[in-house]
Structures are given as structure tokens and as C-alpha cells.
Amino acid sequence: MTGISADSARLVGVFGGTFDPVHCGHVAVADALMRALPLSRIVFVPAARPPHRPAPSACARDRLAMLRLALASDQRFVIDETEYEREGPSYMVDTLAVLRARHAQPLALILGMDAFVSLPAWHRWRRILGLAHVIIVSRPGLDGTLPEWVRPRLVGSAEALLTAGSGRAFLFTASARPESATALREGLADGTTPASWLPDGVPDYIETHGLYRRPSRNDES
């Protein structure tokens, strides 16, 4: 008798972003989601050419290398380089279409609250809801900022996402974290970034490759 795989009753999380740079907050959120929700794994998707925001400070190659270092020791997390293999802007709707064909399980797109509220500005955003569920990662007290259009899609438990192939939303309240990529870049530029904000291996990579530092007058001459 053939049993049902435990993974077949789970979701594949999709964690996109520029990861400029990846920091411990990214990893902590992914760990919390894996522990609390019915996810078989989380697929990190570094954006090669993000169309909805300014160009990243670090190039695509360096951001991918730092992400590999940050996730190397955890088999629950994998990296998908789909957006590096495709020409043109890195539209999430195109990436989800590829991942949907690649994985037998439903997809759950992981978005922070700021990214989620801007979702209607994304390329073919309604199609995104036809390809995946959405896990909205919020901080305590911010659930009231949800737009009205998503409220009919909200489910009360993550397990309810398993009863449909896509289009539902679940609000996950994460513990507050001090890290932010903006603060990290600013701190790295002036040498004030706490080492504890970066995963093992990433500080050495940044230092070796001279990332995020402000040009000195000697560099400019």
C-alpha cells in the first residue's frame, strides 16, 4: 500500500527579495514560519532585476553568494535562481508560474506588510493570487493596516491554506526584530553595523569584496 508523503499535505513557501544584504532577520522569520506553519520547505528567490524598487546596492552575483552563505547549514531552505536565468525584469508572477510547474504542492508567497500593501502595483498582481497563497508577515499591532480587498481572502489558520490551490491569505505575526537592510547598508558604509545582524560568513564576504562601503577620496581620485 502506497502511503501519502508528509510533504504532499504541506505548502512550499516562496520568500522573494533583493537580500541586499541578507541578514539574520530574514533567516529568523523563515525559521519561525517553518516551525509554526505547514511548510515543507522555503524557497528563497533572490531578485536579479527588481522592477518595483531602486536597483540594489550589491550586484546580483554578490547578493546570491551572500544568500548561499547564510542558508548553507539549513536543509529546510533552498535557493531558486529562476530570476537569474531569465532575461528582463524579475516579475514575481513569472517566477511563480515557473515554481508552480516545478512543485507538486501549493505555493505560499511570503511578504512583509510593506511589500504586501504595495502588491496592487506589481506586474499582473491578480495573476499572482491565481498562482499562490500569500503569507503576510506582520509585527504586533499592525494587522489593522490590511487593505479591504484582502479581507475576504483571509483564513484563520495556516492549515486552511491547504484546502485550496491558491488565492487565500494568512496573517502571521512575527516577533519584532532589530535588523533592516537599509540600516545595515548605512551601518556598513560607516563601520557601525552590529556583527550579530549578519549570518555567519556574510561579514567576511562583504569585507573581502568591499561591498557597501562609501568611496574614499582616494577611490575617487
Side-chain angles (χ1 to χ4, degrees), residues 109-123:
L109 179 62
I110 300 163
L111 294 176
M113 182 64 77
D114 290 346
F116 176 74
V117 296
S118 70
L119 185 62
W122 292 22
H123 180 64

Side-chain angles (χ1 to χ4, degrees), residues 67-83:
L67 191 60
R68 286 173 174 159
L69 289 169
L71 305 180
S73 63
D74 199 324
Q75 296 183 351
R76 301 173 302 169
F77 306 143
V78 297
I79 299 172
D80 190 283
E81 299 178 31
T82 293
E83 296 189 358

Side-chain angles (χ1 to χ4, degrees), residues 17-18 45-50 56 59-60 63 82-86 88-90:
T18 56
V45 182
R49 293 164 293 276
C59 72
R63 291 184 286 112
T82 293
E83 296 189 358
Y84 285 66
E85 300 162 357
R86 189 173 65 232
S90 300

Side-chain angles (χ1 to χ4, degrees), residues 7-215:
D7 280 356
S8 67
R10 292 179 177 270
L11 307 162
V12 173
V14 179
F15 196 162
T18 56
F19 303 110
D20 186 31
V22 60
H23 54 69
C24 291
H26 293 130
V27 180
V29 166
D31 176 69
L33 289 168
M34 285 295 305
R35 292 175 183 273
L37 308 186
L39 299 171
S40 63
R41 79 209 74 160
I42 291 180
V43 178
F44 283 73
V45 182
R49 293 164 293 276
H52 304 297
R53 57 184 299 167
S57 298
C59 72
R61 181 191 67 252
D62 286 328
R63 291 184 286 112
L64 176 59
M66 289 186 285
L67 191 60
R68 286 173 174 159
L69 289 169
L71 305 180
S73 63
D74 199 324
Q75 296 183 351
R76 301 173 302 169
F77 306 143
V78 297
I79 299 172
D80 190 283
E81 299 178 31
T82 293
E83 296 189 358
Y84 285 66
E85 300 162 357
R86 189 173 65 232
E87 297 294 330
S90 300
Y91 291 126
M92 179 55 72
V93 65
D94 296 331
T95 300
L96 289 174
V98 172
L99 295 177
R100 182 74 179 257
R102 190 173 292 167
H103 295 279
Q105 303 153 260
L107 305 178
L109 179 62
I110 300 163
L111 294 176
M113 182 64 77
D114 290 346
F116 176 74
V117 296
S118 70
L119 185 62
W122 292 22
H123 180 64
R124 298 183 65 199
W125 74 279
R126 293 188 185 278
R127 177 57 180 154
I128 289 175
L129 300 174
L131 292 167
H133 299 302
V134 180
I135 296 172
I136 309 159
V137 180
S138 181
R139 297 187 300 277
L142 291 186
D143 55 322
T145 63
L146 284 173
E148 287 300 319
W149 66 262
V150 76
R151 295 190 179 275
R153 297 178 179 271
L154 284 174
V155 295
S157 70
E159 286 71 20
L161 300 175
L162 296 169
T163 64
S166 63
R168 296 183 177 177
F170 177 71
L171 183 65
F172 179 82
T173 302
S175 300
R177 298 283 308 185
E179 303 92 347
S180 82
T182 300
L184 261 171
R185 291 191 297 271
E186 293 174 353
L188 288 164
D190 59 24
T192 61
T193 297
S196 61
W197 282 20
L198 293 166
D200 290 345
V202 175
D204 288 342
Y205 186 94
I206 290 172
E207 177 66 24
T208 299
H209 293 81
L211 304 182
Y212 304 111
R213 65 185 182 187
R214 290 194 180 95

